Amino acid sequence: LGIKKGDKIGIFSHSSIQWQIVNFSSLYIGAIPVTVSDSFYPDSSKYIINHSKCRMLVLNGDRKSVV
């Protein structure tokens, strides 16, 4: 996927085993995980997604309608 050490990976999901896998995998390759919690207000989530400079955004299936 072209992610390199120091790249940011956004994780927009509720806390789950999949979230943990993406989070720890990001750290393993030297990327920086950026959490976008489903408990944030929609405007906060939108701000983080638009300003975090993530090279990738990993979504939980039910988050597609928000992005």
Side-chain angles (χ1 to χ4, degrees), residues 12-14 36-39 59-67:
F12 192 14
S13 177
H14 56 278
V36 184
S37 175
D38 60 351
S39 64
L59 304 172
N60 184 335
D62 59 345
R63 300 288 165 246
K64 287 189 243 181
S65 63
V66 178
V67 175

Side-chain angles (χ1 to χ4, degrees), residues 36-56:
V36 184
S37 175
D38 60 351
S39 64
F40 294 164
Y41 290 109
D43 288 342
S44 298
S45 298
K46 184 177 178 181
Y47 181 87
I48 292 168
I49 291 168
N50 289 329
H51 291 86
S52 62
K53 298 182 181 175
C54 290
R55 291 201 20 104
M56 176 190 296

Side-chain angles (χ1 to χ4, degrees), residues 3-4 6-12 22-23 25-27 29 31-35 52-58:
I3 300 298
K4 296 177 255 171
D7 286 345
K8 295 178 184 174
I9 298 176
I11 308 169
F12 192 14
V22 173
N23 186 58
S25 298
S26 300
L27 294 170
I29 64 171
I32 303 164
V34 177
T35 300
S52 62
K53 298 182 181 175
C54 290
R55 291 201 20 104
M56 176 190 296
L57 181 62
V58 179

